[in-house]
C-alpha cells in the first residue's frame, strides 16, 4: 500500500502489434520506453503476453516461460536505462502449464510485483496456461496504490471491486482483446473505472495473430469513467495521460457506491 502521496502519476499505454521474437520485442519496448519517458511518463503498460505473443500455442508458451529469467533481466535493463516503471506481459513458469503473467518493475529495475491471470478465456488460454490462484496484490508505485489485471479478468466486476476495496487507486491492465468484443474497451473498462472511482489503464494489441484480429481501442480512463486517452481500433499508438489525486477525491465524493453497498444483502 502507498505510504506517500504523490499528486500525479503520468501513465503510458502502448498499443502495438504482436512480436513473436521476444528479443525483438525487448528492442521495440526500449524504443517505446524512450518515447514514453520523453513524454514525461513514469510507468509504461504493454499488452498481454507482450514478450513473444499471445496466440502462439502451448509449446511456444512453454519455451518462453523457460526464458523468463533472461527476459525479466532485459526488462530491468530497459527500466533502468529510461528511468521508467514497466508493466509487461509474459509467460512465467509453473509446475504444470505456464502462467499467463505480468511483471511490474520499478524505474530502478526492481521487481515490485508479479501476477498470474486468474480468469482464463476460451481454448487458447486454457490450452496454453494454468489459472492463477490469487488476485493481484495492491502495491505501491510512485506513491500510488496499484493493482493489476490481465485481459478477461477486467470483465468480472468482482475482481475490480475487490482490488478497489483493498485500496487500489489505479488498475493497470495488459490485454489481448480481439474483435468483435470492442464493447469491453468502450463500455466495460470505463464502467470498472466509474463504479469503483479508480483509474484504469488498458493496453491492447492491434493487427492479426492467427485467427485473432485484435481490436485496439486501448485507453486510460479516469475515476469518473471518462476517457483521458483513447487509441483507434486499427493503428499502433502510445497513449500518455495523468492520474491526479484531486480527480480521484472528486469522484469519490460524487460516486458513493462503495460506502452505499448493502453488504448485509450480498
Amino acid at each position: 500500500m502507498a505510504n506517500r502521496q504523490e499528486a500525479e502519476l503520468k501513465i503510458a499505454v502502448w498499443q502495438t502489434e504482436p512480436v513473436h521474437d521476444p528479443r525483438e520485442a525487448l528492442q521495440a519496448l526500449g524504443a517505446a520506453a524512450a518515447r514514453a519517458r520523453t513524454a514525461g511518463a513514469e510507468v509504461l503498460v504493454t499488452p498481454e503476453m507482450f514478450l513473444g505473443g499471445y496466440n502462439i500455442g502451448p509449446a511456444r508458451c512453454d519455451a518462453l516461460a523457460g526464458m523468463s529469467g533472461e527476459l525479466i533481466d532485459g526488462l530491468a535493463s530497459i527500466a533502468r536505462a529510461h528511468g521508467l516503471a514497466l508493466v509487461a506481459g509474459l509467460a512465467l513458469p509453473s509446475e504444470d502449464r505456464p502462467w499467463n503473467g505480468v511483471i511490474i518493475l520499478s524505474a530502478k529495475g526492481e521487481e515490485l510485483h508479479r501476477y498470474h491471470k486468474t480468469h482464463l478465456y476460451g481454448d487458447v488460454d486454457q490450452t496454453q496456461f494454468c489459472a492463477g490462484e490469487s488476485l493481484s496484490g495492491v502495491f505501491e508505485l510512485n506513491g500510488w496504490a496499484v493493482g493489476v489485471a490481465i485481459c478477461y479478468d477486467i470483465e468480472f466486476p468482482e475482481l475490480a471491486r475487490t482490488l478497489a476495496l483493498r485500496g487500489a487507486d489505479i488498475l493497470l491492465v495488459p490485454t489481448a482483446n480481439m474483435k468483435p468484443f470492442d464493447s469491453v474497451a468502450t463500455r466495460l473498462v470505463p464502467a470498472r473505472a466509474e463504479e469503483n472511482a479508480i483509474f484504469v489503464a488498458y493496453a491492447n494489441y492491434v493487427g492479426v495473430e492467427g485467427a485473432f484480429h485484435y481490436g485496439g481501442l486501448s485507453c486510460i480512463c479516469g475515476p469518473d469513467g471518462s476517457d483521458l486517452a483513447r487509441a483507434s481500433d486499427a493503428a499502433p499508438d502510445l497513449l500518455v495521460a495523468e492520474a491526479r489525486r484531486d480527480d480521484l477525491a472528486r469522484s469519490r465524493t460524487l460516486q458513493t457506491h462503495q460506502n452505499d453497498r448493502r453488504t448485509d444483502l450480498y
Side-chain angles (χ1 to χ4, degrees):
M1 296 294 294
N3 54 28
R4 58 190 174 89
Q5 296 284 303
E6 298 293 340
E8 297 93 18
L9 180 69
K10 207 161 191 179
I11 302 168
V13 162
W14 188 26
Q15 177 166 293
T16 185
E17 296 180 353
V19 179
H20 290 153
D21 182 324
R23 295 179 181 89
E24 289 182 7
L26 284 172
Q27 290 180 343
L29 179 59
R35 291 168 55 207
R37 197 71 186 100
T38 298
E42 300 164 78
V43 57
L44 172 62
V45 187
T46 78
E48 179 179 10
M49 283 291 293
F50 171 70
L51 292 179
Y54 170 62
N55 184 21
I56 55 176
R60 186 57 182 156
C61 288
D62 284 339
L64 290 170
M67 299 172 61
S68 61
E70 171 193 340
L71 298 178
I72 293 168
D73 287 345
L75 292 171
S77 294
I78 292 170
R80 288 192 297 269
H82 298 285
L84 182 72
L86 296 176
V87 180
L90 76 168
L92 294 171
S94 78
E95 294 181 359
D96 190 7
R97 295 182 302 280
W99 309 110
N100 181 335
V102 62
I103 293 283
I104 300 90
L105 300 175
S106 75
K108 296 180 179 179
E110 299 165 342
E111 184 173 327
L112 299 176
H113 195 63
R114 66 174 61 192
Y115 168 68
H116 307 141
K117 187 177 184 180
T118 49
H119 298 77
L120 299 184
Y121 175 76
D123 291 341
V124 170
D125 258 351
Q126 294 179 27
T127 58
Q128 295 185 156
F129 306 110
C130 58
E133 298 174 349
S134 60
L135 300 184
S136 163
V138 176
F139 56 94
E140 182 182 329
L141 176 61
N142 292 22
W144 287 72
V146 175
V148 294
I150 299 176
C151 199
Y152 195 38
D153 287 335
I154 201 63
E155 299 180 39
F156 293 83
E158 299 89 348
L159 182 146
R161 176 56 54 86
T162 298
L163 294 179
L165 290 172
R166 291 176 181 174
D169 299 320
I170 302 171
L171 292 188
L172 305 176
V173 188
T175 192
N177 188 46
M178 66 289 294
K179 293 180 178 295
F181 304 113
D182 292 351
S183 62
V184 175
T186 59
R187 287 203 295 265
L188 296 187
V189 171
R192 295 295 92 86
E194 183 172 2
E195 68 197 4
N196 293 295
I198 56 175
F199 294 91
V200 179
Y202 181 85
N204 197 17
Y205 284 123
V206 288
V208 175
E209 187 180 45
F212 293 161
H213 184 179
Y214 293 115
L217 298 172
S218 299
C219 57
I220 303 169
C221 293
D224 60 355
S226 63
D227 283 353
L228 301 181
R230 172 75 65 174
S232 77
D233 66 352
D237 204 350
L238 183 72
L239 307 177
V240 179
E242 200 164 59
R244 296 177 177 271
R245 286 211 183 271
D246 54 359
D247 292 337
L248 199 65
R250 186 179 307 109
S251 292
R252 290 175 175 178
T253 298
L254 296 173
Q255 296 148 225
T256 59
H257 302 92
Q258 285 196 30
N259 291 336
D260 295 341
R261 289 177 309 122
R262 286 291 307 275
T263 55
D264 55 322
L265 301 179
Y266 49 78

